[in-house]
């Protein structure tokens, strides 16, 4: 399934504005049937949902058939987020654009997505100008199930601007149910705008003066001077003690270094002595062997 998803993404990357085909709808239905869609993350369902939202936000709307295809996929995406109440901003933006195409919009009103047409008459391809109240239509899409608790409130304004006097009775019933549902959800879950946390103002500490009834200025001055002198004496004693300890530490370190140097020199002297003795022994041995060799040669030549 992941290979099929990569194949669909490769086709989409070649033409990102092109409308998807029935192949992706079948793939989406197959994923929702085979894999659990309630999990917070799934290696197949989560990428499929993200790719479907990308298609909703990038596929260009050219005619009513494209809108029907997109509404069918939105209907299928609603089953993915029906239980976990996940918010899909691409779907909300698409529905906002669809409702905006069904009303007599003005020039300054723009769709939240760039996939909808912006020129007339394509900008109002869903706007009904004739009386269609006598037409009976089957309810193929239940619009209430498309929305969840995180519905956008601007859709209420677009719903109120629809030309309802020209709609069939079944469609009016669906619109009334949808409007009441959105109103109930908006009143229950009020959306709050994000704000910076307000810091509490810290009050200044009020320092009140302290008064003494029997205050002696001479005694206070003497006590203050004695405190200063005692503090100076203490600092002087601590400094003297610190210097004494420092000198003792330096002396000990110097003695340790001298001892280590003597040990190293003694070790080097012993190693040199052993090497010289070994070299002397090797030379004497070689000289003895050489004398024996020459003696043997001399005796052979004499014979």
């Amino acid at each position: 399934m992941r290979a099929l998803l990569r194949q669909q993404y490769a086709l989409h990357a070649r033409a990102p504005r092109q409308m998807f085909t029935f192949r992706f709808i079948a793939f989406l239905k197959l994923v929702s049937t085979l894999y659990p869609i309630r999990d917070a993350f799934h290696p197949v369902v989560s990428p499929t949902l993200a790719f479907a939202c990308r298609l909703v936000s990038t596929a260009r709307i050219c005619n009513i058939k494209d809108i029907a295809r997109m509404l069918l996929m939105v209907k299928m995406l609603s089953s993915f987020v029906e239980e976990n109440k996940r918010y899909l901003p691409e779907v909300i933006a698409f529905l906002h654009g669809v409702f905006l195409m069904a009303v007599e919009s003005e020039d300054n009103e723009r769709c939240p997505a760039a996939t909808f047409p912006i020129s007339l008459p394509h900008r109002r391809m869903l706007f009904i100008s004739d009386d269609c109240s006598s037409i009976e239509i089957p309810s193929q899409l239940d619009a209430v199930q498309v929305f969840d608790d995180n519905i956008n409130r601007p859709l209420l304004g677009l719903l109120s601007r629809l030309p309802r006097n020209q709609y069939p009775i079944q469609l009016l019933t669906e619109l009334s149910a949808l409007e009441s549902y959105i109103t109930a959800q908006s009143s229950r879950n009020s959306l709050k705008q994000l704000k910076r946390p307000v810091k509490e103002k810290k009050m200044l500490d009020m320092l009140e003066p302290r008064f003494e009834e029997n205050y002696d200025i001479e005694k206070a001055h003497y006590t203050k001077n004695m405190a200063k002198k005692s503090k100076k004496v203490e600092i002087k004693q601590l400094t003297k003690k610190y210097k004494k300890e420092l000198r003792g530490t330096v002396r000990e370190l110097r003695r340790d270094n001298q001892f280590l140097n003597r040990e190293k020199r003694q070790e080097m002297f012993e190693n040199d002595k052993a090497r010289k003795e070994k070299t002397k022994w090797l030379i004497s041995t070689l000289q003895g062997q050489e004398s024996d060799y020459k003696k043997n040669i001399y005796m052979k030549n004499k014979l």
Side-chain angles (χ1 to χ4, degrees):
M1 296 300 290
R2 292 172 65 92
L4 291 176
L5 181 61
R6 285 194 293 266
Q7 185 179 6
Q8 291 292 327
Y9 184 79
L11 294 175
H12 170 70
R14 296 175 186 174
R17 296 296 182 181
Q18 188 176 359
M19 182 59 62
F20 53 87
T21 59
F22 178 75
R23 186 176 182 180
F24 181 74
I25 296 294
F27 175 76
L28 195 63
K29 183 64 177 177
L30 187 62
V31 169
S32 63
T33 305
L34 295 179
Y35 299 102
I37 59 178
R38 302 178 182 178
D39 299 343
F41 177 79
H42 191 272
V44 177
V45 177
S46 298
T48 303
L49 182 61
F51 180 56
C53 293
R54 180 182 176 87
L55 288 178
V56 172
S57 61
T58 57
R60 189 176 297 279
I61 305 297
C62 299
N63 48 37
I64 299 178
K65 185 178 180 181
D66 294 340
I67 297 176
R69 289 183 181 181
M70 197 69 74
L71 287 175
L72 179 60
M73 190 169 69
V74 168
K75 171 68 176 179
M76 298 178 66
L77 289 178
S78 64
S79 62
F80 281 78
V81 297
E82 184 177 0
E83 294 187 4
N84 54 12
K85 304 298 182 182
R86 186 177 298 176
Y87 179 67
L88 301 178
E90 295 86 359
V91 174
I92 298 300
F94 169 74
L95 294 175
H96 190 185
V98 170
F99 285 127
L100 193 60
M101 294 176 67
V103 300
E104 193 172 0
S105 59
E106 299 178 357
D107 294 337
N108 57 354
E109 291 180 333
R110 299 293 182 182
C111 296
T115 57
F116 290 90
I118 58 175
S119 60
L120 293 174
H122 303 286
R123 191 176 64 190
R124 299 177 183 174
M125 66 174 66
L126 297 180
F127 180 71
I128 299 177
S129 58
D130 299 332
D131 188 6
C132 301
S133 58
S134 60
I135 299 177
E136 295 183 1
I137 57 174
S139 58
Q140 297 180 358
L141 288 176
D142 189 6
V144 175
Q145 297 181 2
V146 175
F147 299 95
D148 58 353
D149 295 343
N150 296 320
I151 191 68
N152 272 342
R153 294 178 182 175
L155 298 181
L156 285 174
L158 295 176
L159 289 176
S160 62
R161 293 169 54 187
L162 293 174
R164 301 191 179 189
N165 54 352
Q166 300 175 1
Y167 285 175
I169 299 176
Q170 294 87 347
L171 186 57
L172 289 176
T173 305
E174 293 290 335
L175 287 176
S176 301
L178 176 61
E179 190 172 5
S180 60
Y181 178 80
I182 295 175
T183 305
Q185 294 297 327
S186 299
S187 60
R188 187 178 65 179
N189 298 328
S190 59
L191 299 178
K192 296 182 180 180
Q193 187 177 3
L194 293 178
K195 296 181 180 179
R196 290 184 177 181
V198 180
K199 295 183 179 180
E200 297 182 358
K201 295 183 179 180
K202 188 177 180 181
M203 300 298 294
L204 296 176
D205 295 334
M206 304 302 293
L207 302 178
E208 297 182 358
R210 184 180 59 185
F211 297 96
E212 295 182 3
E213 296 181 357
N214 300 323
Y215 180 74
D216 189 0
I217 187 171
E218 295 182 357
K219 183 178 179 181
H221 184 69
Y222 176 76
T223 306
K224 187 176 181 181
N225 291 336
M226 289 298 296
K228 287 183 178 180
K229 289 181 180 180
S230 61
K231 191 173 183 180
K232 288 182 179 180
V233 171
E234 184 180 1
I235 293 174
K236 190 174 181 179
Q237 291 178 355
L238 291 175
T239 305
K240 186 177 180 180
K241 187 176 180 181
Y242 163 74
K243 290 181 179 180
K244 184 178 179 181
E245 294 292 335
L246 181 61
R247 286 194 298 269
T249 305
V250 172
R251 191 183 305 111
E252 293 294 332
L253 290 175
R254 190 180 294 113
R255 290 176 181 175
D256 293 341
N257 289 331
Q258 291 175 359
F259 174 76
L260 292 175
N261 292 331
R262 284 197 302 269
E263 291 294 328
K264 287 182 180 180
R265 285 197 299 269
Q266 184 68 23
E267 185 178 359
M268 291 175 61
F269 178 75
E270 292 178 357
N271 292 335
D272 292 341
K273 185 178 180 181
R275 186 176 65 254
K276 288 179 181 179
E277 291 178 356
K278 190 174 183 180
T279 304
K280 188 183 294 185
W281 178 79
L282 289 174
I283 291 174
S284 63
T285 304
L286 290 175
Q287 288 177 355
Q289 291 178 359
E290 185 179 3
S291 63
D292 293 339
Y293 174 73
K294 289 181 179 181
K295 185 177 180 180
N296 291 332
I297 292 175
Y298 176 75
M299 293 299 294
K300 287 181 181 180
N301 293 332
K302 188 176 181 180
L303 294 175

